[in-house]
Amino acid sequence: MNANTFCGMKMITEDMLPLFKTSDRLVEDVSMDFKRYLMHEIDWNNRLICIKGARGVGKTTILKQHLKEAFGVGSDKALYVSLDDLWFSRHSILDVASYLYDHGYTHLYIDEIHHFGRNWQLLVKNLYDQFPKLNIVYSGSSLLKLEEGKGDLSRRLMTYELKGLSFREFLAFEGVKEIEPIGMDELLVDHRKLAARITSGIKIIPLFERYRESGYYPFYREPGSGYGLRVKETVNKILEVDYPAVEQVSQETIMKAKKMLMVIAESVPQQPNMKRLYTELETDRNQGLRMLSALDRAGLLALVPPKGETLKNLSKPEKIYCGNANLMYALASRVSIGTVRETLFFDQVRKDHKVAYSGVGDFLVDGQWTFEIGGAGKGFEQIKDVPNSFVACDDMEIGIGNKIPLWLFGFLY
């Protein structure tokens, strides 16, 4: 093979050629039929963009889709690379950036940034400072603590977080129906009209049941082993690969984290006895809180703070759920339908709203709306004297008054 090879209008060295071939192949193969909500929220003109999110939610697809949409396949302006590529066992991403910069490239898309290790922020800062005409878009685990570590990125960086599929996106992905996201104010006031319009011509309840068991991660449509097994594999990779890459954790801590997930997946929603939980995990309060925080950031757990507290200054969560309902079905031999319902509500609402423990109902949203979660027969007994209170009901196609179908909260994003 010649020392230099032409690709597009650029001459590519033999050493760099595998990266360009991989980038072209992956970008060409990515489907443009369905695009996640975040594609339209990102300001792609920023010079430094971070897309973070739990493993399996579709960050890689967004990187490749934007490159394909903005530059096309075989571009001589943009390159996609993943730091878990074996190529980087003998090469540096700084060398790649230098090569691109010298050859007139304008965009570098970096996947799996956390595979660089705990100095990943310093790497990004160096890329940004040393190559001022290079736009950098990178993805990484939601475990990343963007406010910590070496290198202050706060003045340079625009960060976006990608969640798993909402129920609204699931319907679009399945080709059932495409609906624009609904704001919370509109949902609470006009839920009957909205539900009637959405359910026209479709049976919404069976679709919602499918979604809560196996519709959160976009890879549910990929061929191969069963979805539940793939979810378990995703959990293992988060705990065994991503977690140690950004936190100083031992194998013993990883095993404790797995044990915690299994316990929570099968539990009935209740205020946790933290002392008992830490005893079961054979850990102390400080290590236990760090573990809970890491698993929440990773999307494996969802911590509900007390009223008036945030997760950043959390001393003790009021409730602990799995990160999404699909995790429950994949990890537990049996699930509590009550826990599934609360998990669904919390997961779909907390993306754009502050959700805390109510103390009266199940959740307090944005400090003003109280919600009780239950089945179609759920009443207002627990919240009858609470202003701005609502019941989110499962197994209900169209609500009435302040009783709103649970599935409708899956249209918030």
Side-chain angles (χ1 to χ4, degrees), residues 28-81:
E28 182 174 21
D29 287 347
V30 71
S31 171
M32 303 298 286
D33 293 340
F34 174 76
K35 299 174 186 175
R36 296 297 312 281
Y37 71 91
L38 199 60
M39 279 283 285
H40 311 294
E41 295 183 4
I42 295 174
D43 182 354
W44 295 100
N45 293 316
N46 284 298
R47 237 199 85 206
L48 184 61
I49 296 171
C50 169
I51 302 173
K52 68 174 187 172
R55 183 181 283 271
V57 297
K59 303 182 298 297
T60 296
T61 299
I62 282 187
L63 293 182
K64 293 184 290 188
Q65 282 182 331
H66 185 259
L67 195 162
K68 189 172 187 176
E69 184 175 75
F71 301 99
V73 180
S75 168
D76 59 1
K77 293 294 182 184
L79 180 72
Y80 165 86
V81 298

Side-chain angles (χ1 to χ4, degrees), residues 241-392:
V241 179
D242 300 349
Y243 193 12
V246 297
E247 295 271 2
Q248 196 75 43
V249 293
S250 64
Q251 186 63 35
E252 182 183 13
T253 299
I254 293 170
M255 294 307 295
K256 290 176 182 177
K258 289 183 179 181
K259 181 179 178 181
M260 180 189 289
L261 277 175
M262 299 296 289
V263 169
I264 291 171
E266 293 189 351
S267 37
V268 175
Q270 58 185 344
Q271 290 178 272
N273 184 320
M274 301 308 295
K275 185 176 181 180
R276 184 186 302 162
L277 179 61
Y278 297 150
T279 299
E280 287 182 9
L281 295 171
E282 300 176 343
T283 189
D284 59 24
R285 177 180 177 275
N286 290 335
Q287 186 186 36
L289 279 175
R290 285 198 301 271
M291 189 189 304
L292 287 171
S293 175
L295 296 185
D296 181 85
R297 296 198 312 276
L300 298 181
L301 290 183
L303 310 182
V304 184
K307 181 180 177 180
E309 283 195 37
T310 64
L311 290 179
K312 190 172 287 189
N313 62 11
L314 187 65
S315 58
K316 159 179 121 55
E318 288 292 337
K319 288 186 178 182
I320 305 174
Y321 298 99
C322 278
N324 62 78
N326 285 190
L327 282 171
M328 295 179 64
Y329 285 99
L331 297 176
S333 57
R334 63 185 184 279
V335 298
S336 160
I337 189 60
T339 311
V340 169
R341 290 164 178 162
E342 292 183 26
T343 301
L344 279 161
F345 180 90
F346 186 42
D347 175 64
Q348 298 288 285
V349 174
R350 74 169 178 160
K351 175 188 173 291
D352 294 315
H353 298 274
K354 293 180 180 179
V355 186
Y357 177 62
S358 164
V360 183
D362 289 316
F363 300 105
L364 180 66
V365 177
D366 292 340
Q368 59 179 316
W369 300 303
T370 299
F371 289 91
E372 184 74 8
I373 318 300
K378 187 72 174 181
F380 286 82
E381 293 80 10
Q382 291 176 253
I383 54 174
K384 61 182 179 180
D385 297 321
V386 180
N388 296 320
S389 59
F390 303 84
V391 176

Side-chain angles (χ1 to χ4, degrees), residues 176-208:
V176 174
K177 186 169 284 192
E178 294 196 20
I179 304 288
E180 289 297 309
I182 298 169
M184 181 68 84
D185 288 316
E186 182 185 6
L187 189 156
L188 297 181
V189 172
D190 292 328
H191 64 88
R192 281 180 58 79
K193 291 181 180 177
L194 292 167
R197 176 165 60 91
I198 293 169
T199 59
S200 176
I202 63 172
K203 295 293 185 182
I204 202 74
I205 301 301
L207 289 164
F208 189 53

Side-chain angles (χ1 to χ4, degrees), residues 120-121 142-149 246-247 293 297:
W120 67 271
Q121 282 189 312
S142 53
L143 276 160
L144 298 179
K145 293 182 179 180
L146 297 177
E147 72 278 6
E148 298 179 8
V246 297
E247 295 271 2
S293 175
R297 296 198 312 276

Side-chain angles (χ1 to χ4, degrees), residues 7 70 93 98 136 138 147 163 176 181 199 230 246-247 278 299 303 375 409:
C7 184
I93 186 63
S98 178
I136 300 162
Y138 68 90
E147 72 278 6
K163 298 275 289 178
V176 174
T199 59
R230 300 196 66 177
V246 297
E247 295 271 2
Y278 297 150
L303 310 182
F409 291 91

